[in-house]
């Protein structure tokens, strides 16, 4: 895979080195190290440049991203794959519930990584799995996969900028990304279904999270040793004894939504890990935690364009509030 990106240096640009310019575009130190070692990785008007070379106003800077090796330990498997968006730098996928993100000891051939490895194989393209925003196995919805190391680095930095000042985003729900005060971050809205009427109908859950003693999987609220965790919620609808919630996270702790909702007395419907007794009133309707990554907005790592995507509520969740 070769991805060539050309930047036009404005004629009135302030003096900058190649390194300074690319760092301003979000390229990491590791990205620059790889490009430095790539033949013709960085050129200007056809001439190879060192990272410390000054840029000439009015010139064109070309970056050549090359990857020829695929992830060796990911088996290509033909699995359902709902690609919502794709370009030369990334994909947005609507992941179904029940599909793990990456292979593990008990899930070697049924993951999103396996499906993508097959997707790229049939196209004759190398594939390195770089999922930027991961979801639990039984959480459905939108996630982003970077196609090369530069887009992965830039998007990864956006994920690391976790604090989103969600109080400035709620309310209203409309045009969430236009209300995002920091355009460099990835903004995600989740939809969740819980039992009962949530009071107050909107608020902020602040409870630090840590590992549950004796478990390698479960987390718990831990005010002594836990890491800060903040979840903003808002009730969208109440029906059939359930509440549909919109949630935005300021932090991205493992199982954060699941634990926080249990913490306020409204665990996710179908969450058999954290609330095994909270089964749906209509058995067989839903067999996983009722959590869906519904809305995703981020700045494109290469073009700088703000992107927005939505994925409708899956049938198993929608049936509870119909």
């Amino acid at each position: 895979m070769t991805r060539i990106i050309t930047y036009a240096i404005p004629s009135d640009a302030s003096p900058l080195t190649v390194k300074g310019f690319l760092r301003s575009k979000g390229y990491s130190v590791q990205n620059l190290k790889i490009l430095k070692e790539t033949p013709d990785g960085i050129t200007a008007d056809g001439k190879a440049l060192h990272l410390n070379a000054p840029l000439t106003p009015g010139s064109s800077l070309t970056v050549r991203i090359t990857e020829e090796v695929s992830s060796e330990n990911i088996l290509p498997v033909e699995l359902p794959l709902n690609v919502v968006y794709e370009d030369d730098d990334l994909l947005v996928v609507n992941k179904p519930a029940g599909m793990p993100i990456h292979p593990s000891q008990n899930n070697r051939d049924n993951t999103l990584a396996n499906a993508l490895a097959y997707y790229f194989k049939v196209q004759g393209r190398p594939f390195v799995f770089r999922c930027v925003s991961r979801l639990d196995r039984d959480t459905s919805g939108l996630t982003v996969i970077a196609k090369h190391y530069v887009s992965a680095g830039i998007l990864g930095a956006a994920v690391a900028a976790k604090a989103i000042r969600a109080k400035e985003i709620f309310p209203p729900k409309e045009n969430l990304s236009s209300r995002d005060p920091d355009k460099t971050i990835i903004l995600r809205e989740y939809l969740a279904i819980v039992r009962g009427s949530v009071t107050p109908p909107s608020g902020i859950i602040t409870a630090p999270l840590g590992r549950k003693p004796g478990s390698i999987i479960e987390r718990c609220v831990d005010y002594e040793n836990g890491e800060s965790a903040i979840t903003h919620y808002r009730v969208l609808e109440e029906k059939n004894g359930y509440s549909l919630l919109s949630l935005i996270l300021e932090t991205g702790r493992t199982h954060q939504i699941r634990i926080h909702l249990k913490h306020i007395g409204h665990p996710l419907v179908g969450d058999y890990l954290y609330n095994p007794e909270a089964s749906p009133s209509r058995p067989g309707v839903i067999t996983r935690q009722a959590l869906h990554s519904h809305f995703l907005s981020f700045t494109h790592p290469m073009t700088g364009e703000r992107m927005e995507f939505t994925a409708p509520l899956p049938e198993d969740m929608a049936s509870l509030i119909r």
Side-chain angles (χ1 to χ4, degrees):
M1 182 278 294
T2 298
R3 170 75 165 109
I4 296 175
I5 304 160
T6 300
Y7 298 100
I9 309 303
S11 57
D12 58 350
S14 300
L16 268 180
T17 62
V18 172
K19 179 179 180 180
F21 178 81
L22 292 179
R23 289 287 284 157
S24 74
K25 294 295 183 181
Y27 287 62
S28 69
V29 172
Q30 181 62 24
N31 290 164
L32 297 182
K33 180 181 178 181
I34 296 172
L35 286 170
K36 180 181 178 181
E37 297 170 352
T38 301
D40 293 327
I42 303 173
T43 60
D45 300 326
K47 296 180 180 180
L49 288 183
H50 295 291
L51 291 175
N52 292 325
L55 285 174
T56 303
S59 64
S60 292
L61 180 68
T62 299
V63 173
R64 179 185 296 272
I65 302 167
T66 303
E67 291 190 315
E68 302 297 339
V69 179
S70 296
S71 298
E72 295 180 357
N73 298 322
I74 299 179
L75 179 69
V77 181
E78 186 174 8
L79 297 169
L81 184 64
N82 182 1
V83 176
V84 175
Y85 173 83
E86 179 177 9
D87 61 25
D88 291 335
D89 305 299
L90 58 89
L91 299 100
V92 177
V93 174
N94 185 8
K95 185 187 81 70
M99 174 181 277
I101 288 286
H102 54 80
S104 61
Q105 183 174 355
N106 298 318
N107 298 285
R108 297 192 179 279
D109 59 2
N110 62 335
T111 72
L112 179 61
N114 298 120
L116 286 167
Y118 180 85
Y119 178 77
F120 280 83
K121 180 181 178 180
V122 298
Q123 298 177 56
R125 293 187 290 164
F127 167 72
V128 177
F129 184 57
R130 297 183 177 98
C131 186
V132 176
S133 53
R134 298 184 179 184
L135 300 173
D136 290 345
R137 171 178 183 151
D138 287 333
T139 298
S140 56
L142 298 170
T143 191
V144 185
I145 295 90
K147 281 192 172 183
H148 52 75
Y149 61 85
V150 174
S151 59
I154 296 173
L155 288 169
V159 171
K162 297 181 188 303
I164 62 168
R165 299 193 295 275
K167 63 176 178 287
E168 299 180 25
I169 299 169
F170 282 134
K173 175 179 182 294
E174 290 76 19
N175 299 319
L176 279 178
S177 68
S178 67
R179 300 176 64 85
D180 176 7
D182 184 348
K183 295 299 183 182
T184 65
I185 65 150
I186 292 181
L187 174 62
R188 185 200 299 275
E189 178 195 22
Y190 291 87
L191 297 180
I193 297 179
V194 301
R195 277 189 176 279
S197 179
V198 180
T199 304
S202 65
I204 304 173
I205 308 168
T206 302
L209 304 180
R211 287 188 180 274
K212 182 177 179 179
S215 175
I216 61 173
I217 298 175
E218 293 182 69
R219 269 63 172 175
C220 64
V221 172
D222 183 348
Y223 285 102
E224 292 186 4
N225 302 308
E227 295 181 293
S228 172
I230 302 172
T231 302
H232 296 247
Y233 75 87
R234 181 165 55 101
V235 177
L236 299 178
E237 183 179 357
E238 292 186 22
K239 195 171 184 180
N240 302 327
Y242 298 107
S243 292
L244 174 66
L245 306 183
S246 165
L247 304 121
I248 293 179
L249 308 183
E250 281 195 44
T251 54
R253 309 302 179 197
T254 300
H255 298 174
Q256 178 173 321
I257 289 174
R258 300 167 69 180
I259 301 168
H260 272 183
L261 291 179
K262 179 180 180 180
H263 182 65
I264 65 170
H266 294 279
L268 288 170
V269 170
D271 191 346
Y272 299 101
L273 177 62
Y274 289 104
N275 197 50
E277 66 274 15
S279 58
S281 59
R282 287 176 282 171
V285 170
I286 189 167
T287 58
R288 49 100 175 194
Q289 70 258 13
L291 184 61
H292 179 66
S293 174
H294 164 68
F295 175 88
L296 189 63
S297 177
F298 56 90
T299 299
H300 193 284
M302 312 314 295
T303 69
E305 177 187 0
R306 194 67 183 177
M307 316 286 285
E308 289 188 12
F309 303 95
T310 58
L313 203 62
E315 174 60 25
D316 61 348
M317 289 179 63
S319 66
L320 295 175
I321 54 173
R322 185 172 295 133

